[in-house]
Amino acid sequence: MIQPTQLPDAAALSAAATGISSSLATFDAAITELTQGWSGLAGSYSAPEDEVVLAAFSRLGAMRDDLVTLAGDAGRALEDYAGVVAVLATRRAALVEDIAAQLASPVDPEAPSPLPDLEARVLRFDLDAEAADRDCADALSAFHRYYS
């Protein structure tokens, strides 16, 4: 009998999204501290390479802003995907239960077969799971194209 597609663990996806947010906050604080420190030194720092060093540090703020936006959007896309996967997991569990019940029940040659309905539900589920994967992948790919 046909079985619905396996799904990733929604809790693991959500934890990964939270990890992105946590790492992002640490990164943002570190770069902010670094750029503030160097901006305070800009008036007094003097060395043969001072133009190169100061120019490099002056771009860090804009790079940080882009990365914070990008990673924040990626984390939200992953969290959205985790929510969709959680809903799909509930549907999958019901489908698996219905399939098991059908396999356990005696066959009545007089009754209409429930198999076409079950197969249609599994197909619809698989298409929805594939669409969720594609939507998340598309969202993450869009960030790459935007910032490339």
Side-chain angles (χ1 to χ4, degrees), residues 31 34-40 42 50-65:
I31 296 298
L34 186 62
T35 55
Q36 288 174 347
W38 271 98
S39 68
D50 62 0
E51 279 186 40
V52 173
V53 170
L54 294 173
F57 277 98
S58 70
R59 290 191 300 265
L60 280 180
M63 290 169 63
R64 178 207 59 227
D65 293 346

Side-chain angles (χ1 to χ4, degrees), residues 53-105:
V53 170
L54 294 173
F57 277 98
S58 70
R59 290 191 300 265
L60 280 180
M63 290 169 63
R64 178 207 59 227
D65 293 346
D66 284 348
L67 189 56
V68 165
T69 299
L70 175 64
D73 289 348
R76 282 185 291 282
L78 197 55
E79 189 62 49
D80 291 347
Y81 179 56
V84 171
V85 167
V87 171
L88 286 170
T90 301
R91 282 180 53 200
R92 185 182 192 287
L95 271 172
V96 168
E97 191 174 291
D98 291 348
I99 290 168
Q102 174 59 36
L103 291 174
S105 65

Side-chain angles (χ1 to χ4, degrees), residues 80-134:
D80 291 347
Y81 179 56
V84 171
V85 167
V87 171
L88 286 170
T90 301
R91 282 180 53 200
R92 185 182 192 287
L95 271 172
V96 168
E97 191 174 291
D98 291 348
I99 290 168
Q102 174 59 36
L103 291 174
S105 65
V107 177
D108 179 358
E110 304 281 324
S113 173
L115 292 180
D117 177 58
L118 280 174
E119 289 176 348
R121 287 175 52 207
V122 169
L123 179 60
R124 179 76 255 157
F125 172 85
D126 289 349
L127 290 171
D128 290 348
E130 184 179 312
D133 290 347
R134 189 175 46 254

